[in-house]
Amino acid sequence: MERRNPDIWFTEYQTKHLRLGLSIKSVLANIQTSYQHLLVVDTDQYGRLMALDGAIQLTERDEFTYHEMLTHVALTSHPAPRRILIVGGGDGGTAREAVKHETVEEVVLVDIDQEVINASRRFFPSLSSGLEDPKVNVLAMDALEYIRGRSGEFDVVIVDSTDPVDFAEGLFREPFYRDVFRALNEGGSLVAQTESPFSDPDILTGAVSEMEKVFPIVKVFWGAMPTYPTGMWTYTIGSKVHDPEKPMGQTPPGTRYYSEEIHRAAFVLPPFVEEILQGRDR
Ligand code: SAM
């Protein structure tokens, strides 16, 4: 008799009225950490997937688009990025991309949740390779606390955070951006993931407005990200001096989404995104 396959699905509620469903082969981890619910499943379409509090953080198949854009736009628009701070990013994907830049001497990665780091080491070797690099120093603590009082230590700060709720909320606000500004060297910049203009335009506009209170140059860019809500993702960069639209450094070898052409094109915003940005309260 032919075996019937069970029909088991992971469902992400992207908005109250929109869900993304992926059929799964197995559940690899399903735990409550001190900070959030952590789920790792093996999906048929996108390989292994990590979700925190029900929100997809990464899948093996499409994580490269997000990690490459979050990292390389900021690092190639700085003339010589040496010291990098990653806020969140406990899976290691952003660290993996950052150490591809020859100028990078040290990466400090601060994620509040040790269990995310552990799960990545156990289930996502292609991402956690970034955590094992000798240039990467991994700390499990609240980045809001870590950054406070630091001065002139980093060239680029990358905010690879969860959505702005609970302990991640402060990472989208002016006081944090002020601490980051102080922690940056003279030509430094901050880049942050700022969600989808379709499903969360308020998060995008909020982050841009807060960043503009602190950084003289603030620009939004975007990229495709299939498993994040609506598939269209934004990133916002705050820079002290350098124009982030202009790639200066070399593109690291082997990128699959990022290129110099994509870098320039990513700052060309569709008119509806321009409208969202122009319509916000300043
Ligand atoms: N790429 C993902 C996304 O946009 O969905 C983000 C991935 S990464 C796993 C997000 C990390 O941010 C989580 O591991 C979470 O623990 C961490 N995080 C959230 N708030 C934090 C804070 N205040 N300090 C340090 N890490 C934080």
Side-chain angles (χ1 to χ4, degrees):
M1 199 176 89
E2 203 179 310
R3 266 191 82 225
R4 268 181 289 173
N5 287 323
D7 189 26
I8 306 175
W9 291 71
F10 164 79
T11 303
E12 181 192 49
Y13 284 77
Q14 298 198 329
T15 72
K16 231 162 94 185
H17 306 290
L18 177 69
R19 301 180 204 162
L20 174 67
L22 295 105
S23 63
I24 64 173
K25 297 183 213 175
S26 57
V27 176
L28 300 168
N30 183 12
I31 58 165
Q32 184 65 45
T33 77
S34 307
Y35 297 95
Q36 50 211 340
H37 179 261
L38 189 162
L39 181 75
V40 180
V41 291
D42 196 9
T43 72
D44 290 298
Q45 188 80 32
Y46 281 112
R48 289 183 176 179
L49 172 157
M50 183 195 285
L52 295 174
D53 285 339
I56 296 174
Q57 302 297 302
L58 59 98
T59 81
E60 283 179 317
R61 297 273 150 75
D62 71 349
E63 54 85 10
F64 68 96
T65 76
Y66 170 86
H67 289 122
E68 289 185 12
M69 288 303 275
L70 183 64
T71 309
H72 300 317
V73 171
L75 265 63
T76 57
S77 56
H78 187 287
R82 291 194 179 83
R83 286 199 85 223
I84 313 297
L85 172 66
I86 298 172
V87 169
D91 51 77
T94 299
R96 179 196 65 201
E97 295 306 314
V99 295
K100 288 181 181 169
H101 289 257
E102 277 175 11
T103 55
V104 169
E105 291 162 6
E106 193 190 352
V107 175
V108 178
L109 184 150
V110 183
D111 195 298
I112 201 167
D113 197 342
Q114 179 68 48
E115 294 292 346
V116 173
I117 296 162
N118 296 347
S120 186
R121 287 191 163 128
R122 187 153 173 223
F123 299 112
F124 296 94
S126 61
L127 286 109
S128 62
S129 59
L131 303 172
E132 314 312 335
D133 191 284
K135 288 179 185 167
V136 180
N137 186 5
V138 181
L139 303 174
M141 69 178 286
D142 188 341
L144 291 166
E145 243 172 70
Y146 174 85
I147 197 86
R148 223 166 276 146
R150 292 188 180 267
S151 172
E153 290 184 35
F154 297 100
D155 298 306
V156 178
V157 173
I158 304 175
V159 184
D160 184 5
S161 68
T162 40
D163 303 338
V165 277
D166 298 335
F167 47 85
E169 208 195 329
L171 302 174
F172 291 72
R173 300 241 175 270
E174 182 190 350
F176 171 68
Y177 295 147
R178 266 194 205 290
D179 288 340
V180 169
F181 191 91
R182 201 176 311 110
L184 285 167
N185 291 322
E186 243 170 61
S189 61
L190 154 84
V191 64
Q193 68 88 3
T194 43
E195 312 273 329
S196 161
F198 277 108
S199 57
D200 287 297
D202 294 349
I203 299 179
L204 168 64
T205 55
V208 171
S209 296
E210 295 286 282
M211 235 184 254
E212 278 182 345
K213 292 177 188 164
V214 178
F215 285 86
I217 304 166
V218 176
K219 291 194 177 173
V220 174
F221 60 100
W222 69 283
M225 186 51 200
T227 56
Y228 284 178
T230 77
M232 179 183 191
W233 211 245
T234 68
Y235 310 83
T236 303
I237 189 160
S239 176
K240 288 190 175 185
V241 176
H242 306 292
D243 180 357
E245 286 191 42
K246 297 196 180 110
M248 292 187 252
Q250 280 203 328
T251 301
T255 55
R256 292 196 294 147
Y257 189 93
Y258 178 86
S259 68
E260 259 189 55
E261 291 76 15
I262 284 284
H263 182 137
R264 289 200 188 86
F267 285 90
V268 181
L269 302 177
F272 86 94
V273 180
E274 290 284 11
E275 265 170 40
I276 288 171
L277 292 171
Q278 279 157 19
R280 80 204 137 91
D281 300 330
R282 282 165 211 256

